[in-house]
Amino acid sequence: MSEFKTDLCDCCAIGCGQCMYSWFCTPCSNASARSEFDGSNWCFNCLCVGGPVAYNIIREGYGVEGDCCTDILVSCFCAPCASTRLNAEVQARGPRNKSMV
């Protein structure tokens, strides 16, 4: 198991633009991270995949330490920071296999 490449509170890890995107449209930012991660449909991710689910899929996909309870808490109580972290992680590690969705 590995760790995330950025800290949860490192909102400007990949630029202030991404941080603002995460703050003003968190579902869109989560959808972008998931779509970049596995090539899944952006609209589906934005409308149907919540933050905790996207966080869990990406965390487990990269083999990052954690559990579903932490994924839920982080994504619900620190949503913009969690979304920025997901986008930074996908940018740092690159895409994974195509989605089954």
Side-chain angles (χ1 to χ4, degrees):
M1 292 297 231
S2 63
E3 294 184 7
F4 279 105
K5 297 197 178 282
T6 59
D7 187 47
L8 182 62
C9 296
D10 193 4
C11 285
C12 291
I14 56 174
C16 291
Q18 178 60 51
C19 181
M20 291 179 67
Y21 182 42
S22 295
W23 275 95
F24 291 113
C25 192
T26 306
C28 297
S29 180
N30 286 332
S32 295
R34 170 94 194 279
S35 295
E36 286 292 318
F37 171 71
D38 62 8
S40 56
N41 184 280
W42 186 89
C43 286
F44 175 82
N45 290 329
C46 189
L47 298 173
C48 301
V49 177
V53 174
Y55 198 89
N56 182 267
I57 289 169
I58 294 172
R59 183 188 58 74
E60 287 187 353
Y62 287 132
V64 174
E65 285 185 50
D67 58 70
C68 65
C69 289
T70 303
D71 296 343
I72 292 167
L73 291 172
V74 166
S75 296
C76 289
F77 293 107
C78 303
C81 295
S83 184
T84 301
R85 179 189 237 181
L86 290 181
N87 280 283
E89 199 69 21
V90 172
Q91 189 174 49
R93 294 183 188 235
R96 302 301 280 182
N97 296 333
K98 292 291 180 188
S99 175
M100 292 180 273
V101 177

